């Protein structure tokens, strides 16, 4: 089994696509107006309109109500990204400025426009880097 995608359901696909294009530097693929994908080396972040849930099970996902999951992105330099993000036109709500965590990652936590938590992190220790080795 392989985890290949995480999908956010939203009421405003265009708003989230613009946000994630700016914070990640990736270009979204848009196979349909109600759907977009950011394809990374290890996983895809998908964004789907709430309308698409009728194809699965209406009401199964509720936009802007996530309070448990964190989308995590491995970045080269958390502190540099923090400076870059705070200068964006769509600057995110910062939840935690860059902080070194007990498990060896330097982490920046912020929210996307729908309130989803996003973590940019950089492993600082050999143990933290080893956990990412595949």
């Amino acid at each position: 089994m392989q985890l290949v995608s995480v999908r956010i359901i939203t009421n405003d696909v265009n708003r989230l696509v613009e946000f994630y294009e700016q914070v990640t530097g990736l270009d979204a693929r848009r196979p349909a107006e109600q759907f977009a994908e950011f394809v990374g080396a290890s996983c895809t972040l998908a964004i789907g309109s709430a309308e698409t849930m009728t194809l699965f099970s209406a009401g199964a996902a509720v936009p802007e109500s996530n309070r448990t999951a964190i989308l995590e992105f491995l970045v080269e330099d958390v502190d540099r990204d923090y400076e870059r993000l705070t200068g964006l036109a769509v600057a995110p709500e910062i939840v935690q400025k860059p902080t070194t965590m007990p498990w060896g990652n330097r982490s920046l936590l912020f929210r996307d426009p729908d309130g989803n938590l996003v973590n940019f992190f950089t492993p600082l220790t050999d143990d933290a880097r080893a956990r990412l080795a595949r």
Side-chain angles (χ1 to χ4, degrees):
M1 183 182 300
Q2 180 182 1
L3 176 64
V4 295
S5 177
V6 172
R7 185 178 315 176
I8 299 172
I9 299 300
T10 183
N11 288 318
D12 193 338
V13 172
N14 291 330
R15 177 183 67 172
L16 279 189
V17 166
E18 178 184 352
F19 176 82
Y20 280 102
E21 282 182 333
Q22 287 190 34
V23 301
T24 67
L26 298 172
D27 291 323
R29 293 193 310 201
R30 297 291 299 261
E33 182 181 337
Q34 313 88 340
F35 187 78
E37 297 176 308
F38 293 89
V39 179
S42 60
C43 191
T44 295
L45 173 60
I47 298 174
S49 168
E51 299 167 4
T52 64
M53 289 311 298
T54 60
L55 302 171
F56 296 100
S57 179
V62 180
E64 301 178 29
S65 63
N66 172 32
R67 291 292 184 230
T68 60
I70 303 173
L71 303 172
E72 298 193 300
F73 293 86
L74 174 64
V75 298
E76 189 175 310
D77 185 331
V78 165
D79 295 284
R80 185 174 61 223
D81 277 313
Y82 171 70
E83 295 301 322
R84 181 181 62 82
L85 293 178
T86 57
L88 291 177
V90 295
E93 171 195 342
I94 303 298
V95 174
Q96 175 185 286
K97 292 180 180 181
T99 302
T100 301
M101 307 308 279
W103 47 89
N105 289 340
R106 187 138 175 92
S107 175
L108 164 64
L109 196 61
F110 58 93
R111 291 194 186 280
D112 74 13
D114 277 9
N116 299 299
L117 282 172
V118 180
N119 181 31
F120 278 11
F121 74 96
T122 302
L124 298 180
T125 66
D126 289 340
D127 285 344
R129 286 187 286 276
R131 283 194 300 277
L132 293 173
R134 299 192 192 273

